[in-house]
Amino acid sequence: MMYGSICRGTAHMPDDQLKDAFARARTFQVTSRGEEVRVIAYHDESSIEAQRRPGGKGWEALALTQQPKGDLPLTGVLFMDIPQSAWGPLDLAVSALQNEFGDHFTKRATLKCM
């Protein structure tokens, strides 16, 4: 059996791919601690971690993780703005969970339709 560690590095994702990744994501893990909100959006064999900036300043992508079948996960640090046109799925996942659980929680949600 082979063991390994997560490979890390700097990544870049073009805006159109970033928008598409959030549009295709159906499962979201949301951590809400008042003003601090983080979301991991899952799609195919990839996930993107994002955080909402306080004061309504939008969303920022933090990390992209890809795990091809049979390979070790590859994580790249993004630190890039998410275009406003891609905020919809993130805002929907967060608001759906905040309506049910308040402002302090860590939960996973699957959105059936958007």
Side-chain angles (χ1 to χ4, degrees):
M1 187 176 280
M2 212 166 110
Y3 294 94
S5 61
I6 295 175
C7 300
R8 297 186 183 274
T10 303
H12 175 73
M13 197 171 197
D15 280 358
D16 59 337
Q17 289 181 19
L18 195 58
K19 287 185 222 177
D20 185 54
F22 287 114
R24 289 185 298 122
R26 291 294 176 263
T27 302
F28 298 85
Q29 180 173 313
V30 179
T31 299
S32 177
R33 300 284 177 258
E35 286 281 318
E36 181 185 341
V37 177
R38 289 198 177 201
V39 175
I40 301 174
Y42 297 92
H43 59 97
D44 299 330
E45 292 98 26
S46 301
S47 63
I48 299 179
E49 183 178 358
Q51 73 177 0
R52 186 166 62 188
R53 294 186 178 126
K57 295 182 181 173
W59 288 90
E60 176 182 37
L62 302 176
L64 167 68
T65 300
Q66 296 178 314
Q67 186 163 6
K69 289 184 169 89
D71 292 335
L72 296 175
L74 303 172
T75 298
V77 178
L78 290 171
F79 286 114
M80 57 189 288
D81 292 337
I82 297 172
Q84 190 169 1
S85 57
W87 293 0
L90 296 168
D91 289 335
L92 182 60
V94 170
S95 66
L97 288 171
Q98 283 180 331
N99 287 340
E100 190 170 345
F101 299 106
D103 287 335
H104 296 277
F105 62 86
T106 297
K107 297 285 180 187
R108 187 176 278 217
T110 300
L111 303 179
K112 295 190 190 246
C113 60
M114 306 255 282

